[in-house]
Amino acid sequence: MTRMPLHAASGTGIYKDLTTKVIRLVRYGCTNRHFLHIVVMETKKHPKSPPIEQLGTFDICVNENNEKLVAFNFERVQFWLSKGAKVTDPVAKLLGLAGYFPIHPRTYMTAWRNRKHAEEVAAADAEKASAEKATAETN
């Protein structure tokens, strides 16, 4: 009996024990409104292989509260990590922000750069405002 084809996001459920697995992000959606699925796949040696299982989703477009939404199935993440699956850097960052992994060092660096840039912009705005105030007083 032949198997019915499954949608790629649902996963095929078929995997080989001998090959290494990776937990990674896969892009879905349309051109201006895409989202990411967090899936278990074979390593990049077979990039066209379908995902084995979907572990969560990540909506990278911000909502009305300026939030990006992430959903994980932590039981299945733990299962695949116990089976020896590797985790890519973007997924490791998300798991760190979710509290499952330690926070990724690149997350700290990004936050530091954002704070530094905000301070520079605030200083430039304050300098510009003081210059405008001084020219208004002289006129």
Side-chain angles (χ1 to χ4, degrees):
M1 181 173 178
T2 60
R3 295 187 135 220
M4 295 297 293
L6 296 174
H7 185 268
S10 66
T12 59
I14 302 170
Y15 69 96
K16 299 173 186 161
D17 287 332
L18 301 176
T19 59
T20 57
K21 310 297 179 282
V22 64
I23 300 175
R24 62 183 299 249
L25 298 172
V26 176
R27 184 173 183 246
Y28 288 94
C30 38
T31 304
N32 293 321
R33 181 68 176 95
H34 57 277
F35 58 93
L36 302 169
H37 284 191
I38 302 159
V39 297
V40 177
M41 295 182 74
E42 301 288 330
T43 55
K44 291 190 178 185
K45 295 175 186 173
H46 308 288
K48 298 290 183 184
S49 64
I52 297 169
E53 181 179 359
Q54 180 181 345
L55 302 178
T57 59
F58 176 39
D59 189 2
I60 61 173
C61 296
V62 294
N63 62 8
E64 63 271 0
N65 297 325
N66 202 23
E67 299 169 334
K68 295 181 179 181
L69 301 177
V70 180
F72 282 106
N73 185 350
F74 288 114
E75 293 175 0
R76 297 305 295 173
V77 170
Q78 184 177 6
F79 169 79
W80 284 107
L81 289 175
S82 69
K83 292 288 187 182
K86 306 295 182 197
V87 180
T88 59
D89 278 346
V91 175
K93 288 180 195 177
L94 290 174
L95 287 170
L97 291 173
Y100 194 76
F101 279 177
I103 295 179
H104 199 275
R106 203 168 295 141
T107 304
Y108 286 119
M109 292 303 297
T110 303
W112 179 79
R113 286 187 190 112
N114 290 342
R115 279 194 302 272
K116 185 176 178 183
H117 178 68
E119 290 170 359
E120 290 172 356
V121 169
D125 289 344
E127 187 176 309
K128 183 179 177 183
S130 65
E132 288 176 357
K133 187 177 182 181
T135 57
E137 289 176 358
T138 58
N139 291 336

